[in-house]
Amino acid sequence: MYASLNWLGRLLGTELDPQETAERLTVVGATVDAVEPVHAELGDVVIGLVEQVGKHPNADRLTLCRVSTGKGTVEVVCGAPNVRAGMKYPYAAAGAVLPGGFKLERRKIRGVVSNGMLCSAKELGLGADQDGILELDTVAAPGTPLLEALDLADTRLEVDVTPNRPDLLAQRGIARELAAAMGLTVKLPAFEGAPAVPAARRVKRSGSVGGIEVIVEDDEGCPRYGAAVIRGVRIGPSPEWLQARLRSVGARPINNVVDATNYILHEINQPLHAFDINDLRGGKLIIRRANDGERITTLDGEDHPLTSEMTMICDADGAIAIAGVMGGENTEVSDETTDILLECAYFDRRRIRATRTALRMDTDASYRFERGTDLEGLPAALRRAVELIIAVAGGEEPEAAIDVCPRLPQPTTVFLRPSRVEHLLGVAVPQDEIERLLGSVGFTLAPRDGRLAVQVPGWRPDVTREVDLIEEVARLRGYDSFPVEMRPFRPTTVPDAPSELRSALVRQVLTALGIHEARTLPLGPVGGEHAQPVQNPLSSEETHLRTDLLPGLVRSVERNWSARARDIRLFEIGRVFRATTGATPPVETLRIAVVLTGARQPGHWADVSGIDFDLWDLKGMLEEVVGVAAPGGAAVAPDGADGWEVTGPDGTVLGRGGELDADGPPWAAPLFGIEIDLAVAETPAVRYRALPTTPPIERDLALVLPATVAAKDVEEVVRGAGGSMLESVAVFDEYRAKELVGRSVAWRLVFRDPSRTLRDAEVDRSVNQILRALKERLGVERRES
Amino acid sequence: MAHVPAEDQLEHIAAAIDEIATADVQRLEQLRTSLLGRKAGALTHVLRSIPALDAEQRRTVGRRANELKHAIESAITARERTLAAAVGTGPAVDRTMPGRRRWRGARHPITQVVDEICGIFRELGFSRIMGPEAETEEYNFTKLNIPLDHPAADMQDTFYLKPGVVLRTHTSPVQARTMERYAPPIRVVVPGLAYRRDPFDPSHAPVFDQIEGLVVDEGVSFVDFKAAIDFFAKRFFSADTAVRFRPSYFPFTEPSAEVDAQCQNCRGTGCSTCKQTGWMEIMGAGMVHPAVFEACGIDSERYTGYAFGMGPARIAMVRYGIPDIRMFFDNDMRFLDQFLE
Ligand SMILES: [Zn+2]
């Protein structure tokens, strides 16, 4: 929302400093995002006095003017038919920059040099052209900047208005906040040439005004409807001051009647609508719910289907406007309009919101109605609007306006306990200060039963309970006035989430293993049976929630490949989603995924180069990840499938790891991936085991394994037969050769007794036992060396 | 030599060490063979004889023999270097050659910021929890005092999954979930993802990180709120960082505030990062609205509290000077390499 510094100054009866005003508004909650001059683009334009108009030697339609510019007299070629000697016009010299960034050059026009240009309103962005260049009725001397001469110089504040404060959508609301801060009062200026307009006559449900019968049938959708009839208006351009006001807040002048209604909108936040009476059929105006299936064509030419949940303004034949949203094209004010009916209404906030949402329309009026206009201030707004229309467009009221209102609104009263102010804000605010602060923005207060009965002004629909008033006290007193003071607090009852702790641990381990943490989008293009679709996706690339992390990571790998990176190591901890039936949200699971490709370690000049991650790196990484992310889980090699599955202690599959298919460049190394559920179970506590003091005895066993025997089988038998002295069993070599039947795998066995030094003979006996068991159970024998 | 006691043999060997320092290339090779040679080396001979000695001797001879072995080896290496340098092949070890490195991984820059923020609030007694990303309208809106038929609901453009189920537009639903599950005193921070229908551009993403904070207890006031946030900002940025609280509006807090920290780029004098204001918005916050307490079954007369929400991605962009939020999702190794800790 734009506030005009000149306009605010007029309402407050004082000159305002732009930066100071911006600061004042920001500290009370009307944050000013930008402060910018209005019409800054006209800074190069000055007043030019045409002293003489002569014929252009080479063109009949052009004139050659001598123009006094304040810095001398120059010759300017002019094409406007309305140029006359002795008149003043906007003049832009060669080198001036005009709206749109257009830079004026000195150039020849039909063989004669033109030193600059006399400008039209359109060229200056000041409205439509009338007769040609803009005639200026001003006493300012030639050379005076146009902005000064026309009183166009103004500053516009861009105010960030929060949805709870409809009153701040108008200049008066902003001025009220400034008035409170500066100790001033807001006064609406009288319009020059306005007649004394009588107050509206209040009627309950229907009444007649200027020969039109106004009937409110839907008083739920329209609790109050003011209507005035003005006959004999002359549609035309608005006076310059009115156009300037509208431009200063970013609105476009249209004609005097429309401009007047827009002025009231921007001054006091009351949307208005003018109907051409001659287009009203049957002399009636009915405010009712739409009939299902009824249609209307609005001002913008769009045709809309209606439902009975919408409120319409109708004449005897049908709908002529969607209440509070947009008028219809058949009753629009046109250049020929002479008699108007002016609507000044209050429409129900929810009704307007539902209507404009259903119709996908968002107008200036609906924006304000759905935030709440001033129900109590409506008659005054209507009166002021009539004054302004008559002042700028002429005409007269055949009789006083009517105010259709079945139930007069009662001002809201909210009770405030000064003790509660201190309780919530942490600082005692004296009662007289509370009264002064709230009073400064229009609340009226009376002590009652140890509390303050606070009457809420009609323009503050946001204030409905005590806490709203406490916020007012805090904000008007200034948030800065509350100390920054650390006071004692009690410890929380809420423990850390196990998943957060687990995630932190996983991050620590994986980064230490040389893997970067990545982030991919949980939204992606992949559908599938269990994928949860998004009902209103932004694009075809983001139609579903992910069911797996790896596809996103693989896309990241591919992006890295296209950036010529070969060594890529990424992991991600994130949620995956599985659709559910019924109304419940999809099931979320926290997962960890890893992708690896390229060199196992950074290359070093002293090493054999070019060792890439292989399947065994992947398996080792998988075991590391399982150890930290799914304690108790194990990597198992399923029959008939590549890679490994991770199973939990109860056998459920928690994830998998293996080589991935990816469309890499020819120089890319194999790509490996891991994805498993992140467990939230606690890791069993560590128990210390006494460190051995006796020496170990090692024995190496090179065994020949038939094709059907796996290393895991051998280890199981070895451990089973080795007895309590066998401390550890580990593979240290694999050898395959033609002369062997099967392959040879070598294990190192470590024997130890923690209580005494073992003798070689005992260990030999144990090894023989192991060999016997291997032969009997697996047909595995020692390799002949 | 077999009759010479091992101790004497060792003294004899020790005497030879001095010569190493002056030996030429040929003599050095001879010494190496005669002392350390696998077959006839004098020291090798002593080492082999050790198992046959008695226990006491084993210990003393063994220790001395090993000392001598190291001394001889390092003397030979040193002499080799000197000799090599003299013939002009450069130093035996060029210490300017690169060392051997290992891969290292970094937490994502947003994670680093999130962890740091949560760590600071931990000092103030906050635990760290989480909540679901797919939420019901009830938790995302209604319980937070955001009626769906109120313009406040438009402050967030929502992704719908099915009727009544949305992707949470903020981490605030966890406020309601926490209040329903735990009794006060509550002090929690909740990092997590939130979703809004904002197309990607340099400063917006449809998925973004948020950190929610919630405190509920008896007697928690606006002063406590200001103190906690000010503590956080000064600890996170710097002790001399100015913090500003501007009145604002959020349906679930009242009084509400936007919190600004002095721009870290220009130190408050105004620059393009802060749009010449000298301030950087760091969070929306305020005192928990009594309607939220009431919706979560907490006595709003007895308990008060404060809540806040901030965007760690935006903070990370400012801290690291990252121009485009999309870089956080690109996972370019060259980008991630820059955040090694
Ligand atoms: Zn700055």
Side-chain angles (χ1 to χ4, degrees):
Chain A
M1 126 89 189
Y2 289 124
S4 147
L5 208 65
N6 285 357
W7 199 336
L8 296 173
R10 186 75 205 282
L11 294 173
L12 292 165
T14 185
E15 290 238 340
L16 296 170
D17 174 75
Q19 289 308 329
E20 209 177 274
T21 305
E23 187 57 30
R24 281 210 163 97
L25 290 172
T26 298
V27 301
V28 295
T31 300
V32 175
D33 288 335
V35 177
E36 55 195 22
V38 177
H39 291 310
E41 71 281 6
L42 299 182
D44 290 347
V45 182
V46 298
I47 303 294
L49 171 65
V50 173
E51 293 176 337
Q52 194 186 359
V53 179
K55 286 181 76 81
H56 188 290
N58 306 325
D60 290 345
R61 286 168 178 266
L62 300 178
T63 54
L64 191 57
C65 305
R66 290 188 59 77
V67 180
S68 165
T69 67
K71 286 183 185 167
T73 307
V74 296
E75 286 206 319
V76 176
V77 176
C78 179
N82 65 332
V83 63
R84 282 182 293 146
M87 292 296 296
K88 290 170 184 166
Y89 302 98
Y91 166 74
V97 178
L98 293 178
F102 164 63
K103 189 174 179 193
L104 209 55
E105 310 269 352
R106 168 173 298 146
R107 61 186 186 107
K108 279 189 180 174
I109 298 173
R110 292 291 202 99
V112 177
V113 173
S114 183
N115 297 289
M117 137 186 195
L118 298 171
C119 310
S120 72
K122 191 177 176 192
E123 283 157 345
L124 299 177
L126 293 177
D129 286 343
Q130 265 86 46
D131 309 312
I133 53 177
L134 184 61
E135 284 185 11
L136 301 173
D137 180 15
T138 173
V139 295
T144 310
L146 182 73
L147 291 176
E148 262 174 50
L150 289 191
D151 205 14
L152 284 174
D154 193 356
T155 301
R156 179 187 286 165
L157 308 178
E158 195 185 333
V159 186
D160 183 8
V161 177
T162 54
N164 59 325
R165 292 294 302 272
D167 60 312
L168 298 183
L169 295 171
Q171 308 299 311
R172 181 167 65 176
I174 302 279
R176 278 196 197 104
E177 294 292 334
L178 290 171
M182 300 167 78
L184 299 170
T185 50
V186 179
K187 194 160 175 288
L188 298 180
F191 303 119
E192 203 184 304
V197 170
R201 295 166 286 133
R202 195 200 152 217
V203 295
K204 281 213 154 170
R205 290 199 172 271
S206 65
S208 169
V209 58
I212 306 289
E213 202 178 353
V214 179
I215 305 156
V216 175
E217 289 179 1
D218 178 15
D219 64 330
E220 190 190 321
C222 176
R224 194 166 204 176
Y225 195 91
V229 166
I230 305 171
R231 295 194 183 270
V233 298
R234 288 173 307 281
I235 304 293
S238 304
E240 184 47 45
W241 71 265
L242 177 51
Q243 296 197 26
R245 283 280 184 259
L246 293 182
R247 280 192 214 101
S248 71
V249 296
R252 194 167 54 92
I254 294 168
N255 64 44
N256 45 13
V257 170
V258 174
D259 292 354
T261 60
N262 275 331
Y263 177 94
I264 299 296
L265 178 83
H266 289 288
E267 187 188 61
I268 57 185
N269 194 40
Q270 174 62 56
L272 300 160
H273 189 72
F275 297 97
D276 186 327
I277 284 187
N278 297 320
D279 293 332
L280 283 182
R281 294 156 299 187
K284 274 187 180 159
L285 200 71
I286 305 154
I287 295 91
R288 61 163 170 82
R289 285 171 183 267
N291 300 315
D292 284 320
E294 201 173 347
R295 305 186 78 88
I296 187 173
T297 303
T298 41
L299 284 173
D300 53 5
E302 294 282 322
D303 182 58
H304 302 279
L306 306 171
T307 73
S308 60
E309 290 309 303
M310 301 171 181
T311 302
M312 307 305 297
I313 314 299
C314 309
D315 63 11
D317 288 2
I320 56 172
I322 306 169
V325 180
M326 196 182 273
E329 61 179 3
N330 49 359
T331 55
E332 193 182 351
V333 171
S334 70
D335 289 350
E336 285 72 47
T337 299
T338 56
D339 302 332
I340 60 168
L341 182 141
L342 183 67
E343 164 194 292
C344 177
Y346 180 95
F347 296 113
D348 179 67
R349 294 158 65 174
R350 289 187 167 77
R351 179 70 57 82
I352 295 297
R353 180 173 168 78
T355 303
R356 73 111 184 128
T357 311
L359 298 178
R360 295 171 194 275
M361 297 173 83
D362 198 354
T363 62
D364 219 359
S366 69
Y367 189 84
R368 291 155 194 271
F369 281 127
E370 72 171 287
R371 280 162 177 75
T373 54
D374 184 354
L375 181 58
E376 294 161 44
L378 188 147
L382 176 58
R383 192 171 182 175
R384 186 161 172 82
V386 173
E387 284 172 5
L388 180 56
I389 289 175
I390 296 175
V392 300
E396 56 181 23
E397 276 190 301
E399 62 177 317
I402 54 168
D403 169 17
V404 189
C405 185
R407 286 172 304 278
L408 272 186
Q410 294 304 312
T412 311
T413 298
V414 177
F415 288 93
L416 176 65
R417 295 163 293 173
S419 63
R420 191 71 187 172
V421 174
E422 178 178 1
H423 185 79
L424 190 64
L425 300 183
V427 168
V429 183
Q431 185 163 327
D432 57 349
E433 190 182 347
I434 293 175
E435 291 178 22
R436 184 176 59 73
L437 292 170
L438 293 177
S440 73
V441 288
F443 293 93
T444 45
L445 295 89
R448 200 186 296 169
D449 311 330
R451 301 182 298 175
L452 289 165
V454 183
Q455 208 175 78
V456 180
W459 61 84
R460 290 299 303 272
D462 59 307
V463 176
T464 58
R465 55 190 290 176
E466 188 178 40
V467 68
D468 301 326
L469 293 169
I470 298 175
E471 177 174 66
E472 287 296 293
V473 170
R475 137 189 121 73
L476 294 166
R477 194 172 189 258
Y479 283 4
D480 282 349
S481 71
F482 297 87
V484 171
E485 181 186 305
M486 191 65 77
R487 295 174 179 173
F489 56 84
R490 300 198 288 176
T492 181
T493 58
V494 186
D496 282 319
S499 62
E500 287 293 305
L501 297 172
R502 177 73 58 189
S503 299
L505 189 64
V506 170
R507 282 192 188 99
Q508 200 183 322
V509 170
L510 290 179
T511 53
L513 288 169
I515 310 173
H516 284 315
E517 186 183 11
R519 297 200 152 208
T520 64
L521 276 189
L523 294 167
V526 186
E529 196 189 342
H530 301 298
Q532 170 67 51
V534 176
Q535 284 186 329
N536 53 344
L538 274 173
S539 77
S540 61
E541 290 299 296
E542 291 147 21
T543 53
H544 287 77
L545 285 169
R546 62 187 172 192
T547 52
D548 296 286
L549 297 179
L550 275 177
L553 284 178
V554 170
R555 281 194 289 276
S556 294
V557 169
E558 286 164 351
R559 199 174 297 119
N560 273 291
W561 275 336
S562 53
R564 315 226 121 243
R566 189 174 179 279
D567 303 330
I568 306 157
R569 303 164 313 283
L570 300 170
F571 77 91
E572 181 175 13
I573 299 173
R575 314 274 179 95
V576 297
F577 301 81
R578 191 185 163 93
T580 54
T581 52
T584 53
V587 175
E588 294 178 31
T589 312
L590 196 58
R591 288 259 184 88
I592 157 85
V594 184
V595 284
L596 297 170
T597 180
R600 186 184 287 165
Q601 287 300 342
H604 188 256
W605 54 272
D607 295 341
V608 181
S609 63
I611 301 177
D612 287 333
F613 284 116
D614 65 14
L615 211 54
W616 303 113
D617 290 303
L618 180 270
K619 188 180 183 197
M621 186 69 73
L622 182 62
E623 286 164 344
E624 298 272 16
V625 174
V626 169
V628 64
V636 298
D639 291 336
D642 290 338
W644 292 269
E645 269 182 4
V646 178
T647 51
D650 60 353
T652 51
V653 176
L654 302 174
R656 46 189 48 82
E659 188 168 349
L660 301 177
D661 281 333
D663 199 11
W667 43 261
L671 174 65
F672 301 97
I674 293 170
E675 174 154 4
I676 64 171
D677 290 352
L678 205 63
V680 290
E682 277 182 36
T683 317
V686 171
R687 288 287 303 170
Y688 158 81
R689 290 184 304 272
L691 304 181
T693 53
T694 54
I697 292 182
E698 288 174 6
R699 287 287 190 276
D700 291 349
L701 283 187
L703 303 172
V704 178
L705 275 57
T708 54
V709 175
K712 181 170 163 283
D713 307 329
V714 172
E715 273 197 35
E716 274 171 21
V717 173
V718 169
R719 284 185 193 281
S724 61
M725 296 186 303
L726 179 59
E727 185 180 82
S728 67
V729 182
V731 171
F732 72 89
D733 194 18
E734 183 192 43
Y735 175 69
R736 290 172 196 255
K738 283 193 187 116
E739 66 269 23
L740 285 167
V741 182
R743 58 190 172 126
S744 161
V745 180
W747 274 268
R748 175 153 301 153
L749 278 48
V750 178
F751 295 85
R752 191 192 320 253
D753 185 322
S755 60
R756 65 191 177 90
T757 301
L758 289 177
R759 278 168 294 122
D760 280 340
E762 304 175 74
V763 172
D764 290 342
R765 273 201 300 282
S766 183
V767 167
N768 286 333
Q769 251 173 40
I770 289 169
L771 287 170
R772 267 199 306 280
L774 283 171
K775 181 162 188 195
E776 281 165 21
R777 311 245 301 266
L778 299 173
V780 167
E781 289 190 85
R782 207 164 187 165
R783 180 178 155 198
E784 313 278 324
S785 50
Chain B
M1 272 179 97
H3 317 289
V4 181
E7 287 89 340
D8 294 355
Q9 290 182 42
L10 287 173
E11 286 324 299
H12 189 71
I13 291 166
I17 293 178
D18 291 345
E19 201 195 337
I20 295 175
T22 55
D24 63 11
V25 177
Q26 275 177 338
R27 178 65 187 144
L28 192 62
E29 208 41 50
Q30 283 170 2
L31 285 167
R32 188 205 305 272
T33 313
S34 67
L35 296 171
L36 301 175
R38 276 177 71 92
K39 292 209 168 98
L43 190 58
T44 314
H45 181 81
V46 174
L47 286 165
R48 279 201 190 120
S49 68
I50 289 171
L53 302 172
D54 62 50
E56 175 69 10
Q57 256 190 325
R58 265 211 304 264
R59 213 167 19 253
T60 54
V61 172
R63 188 179 301 141
R64 176 70 180 145
N66 276 310
E67 275 171 18
L68 282 175
K69 187 162 183 264
H70 286 128
I72 292 166
E73 279 169 352
S74 47
I76 290 176
T77 310
R79 183 59 187 161
E80 274 174 348
R81 277 189 207 141
T82 314
L83 290 170
V87 293
T89 59
V93 175
D94 174 358
R95 285 185 294 272
T96 66
M97 293 284 273
R100 190 180 278 112
R101 305 289 293 265
R102 301 266 123 185
W103 292 135
R104 288 182 59 209
R107 284 176 298 156
H108 194 277
I110 294 179
T111 306
Q112 294 186 31
V113 168
V114 168
D115 286 352
E116 187 177 338
I117 291 171
C118 294
I120 293 170
F121 280 102
R122 184 172 295 283
E123 293 180 50
L124 294 177
F126 288 67
S127 56
R128 178 169 169 170
I129 61 167
M130 44 72 75
E133 291 172 17
E135 267 292 6
T136 59
E137 280 182 328
E138 190 188 7
Y139 278 93
N140 195 72
F141 297 114
T142 324
K143 281 179 188 269
L144 297 171
N145 195 33
I146 313 172
L148 289 166
D149 59 0
H150 190 273
D154 295 346
M155 292 165 92
Q156 306 154 2
D157 205 352
T158 311
F159 281 116
Y160 273 82
L161 298 179
K162 52 175 91 169
V165 179
V166 302
L167 284 169
R168 66 178 177 193
T169 55
H170 44 192
T171 41
S172 310
V174 188
Q175 284 189 31
R177 292 190 175 277
T178 307
M179 286 190 258
E180 288 176 346
R181 186 163 166 202
Y182 296 97
I186 292 169
R187 299 175 79 82
V188 293
V189 280
V190 193
L193 292 179
Y195 301 73
R196 287 188 199 173
R197 289 188 80 247
D198 279 335
F200 264 121
D201 70 27
S203 51
H204 294 91
V207 183
F208 55 96
D209 284 82
Q210 254 196 359
I211 299 178
E212 191 78 14
L214 175 70
V215 168
V216 180
D217 200 1
E218 290 171 8
V220 177
S221 77
F222 193 70
V223 169
D224 297 302
F225 158 64
K226 278 190 72 177
I229 302 305
D230 186 80
F231 174 89
F232 158 72
K234 287 187 161 53
R235 184 62 63 95
F236 185 83
F237 296 111
S238 63
D240 59 351
T241 295
V243 181
R244 175 171 86 164
F245 294 78
R246 271 183 294 124
S248 188
Y249 168 74
F250 305 103
F252 37 98
T253 53
E254 189 160 23
S256 298
E258 295 270 9
V259 184
D260 301 331
Q262 196 178 52
C263 175
Q264 298 300 297
N265 196 32
C266 62
R267 305 304 303 178
T269 55
C271 69
S272 59
T273 306
C274 58
K275 291 190 202 140
Q276 310 306 328
T277 61
W279 296 100
M280 255 172 19
E281 211 173 287
I282 57 167
M283 66 171 80
M287 304 302 294
V288 178
H289 198 289
V292 176
F293 283 138
E294 287 150 19
C296 299
I298 286 189
D299 181 347
S300 64
E301 267 297 295
R302 180 170 168 199
Y303 292 104
T304 50
Y306 57 87
F308 54 86
M310 60 180 128
R314 200 66 57 85
I315 294 173
M317 287 171 79
V318 173
R319 164 172 281 193
Y320 302 118
I322 296 167
D324 192 323
I325 200 166
R326 286 170 284 204
M327 302 190 81
F328 289 130
F329 294 97
D330 282 348
N331 304 317
D332 190 308
M333 292 295 285
R334 297 164 300 181
F335 175 80
L336 297 173
D337 280 340
Q338 297 177 24
F339 299 96
L340 280 171
E341 296 161 81

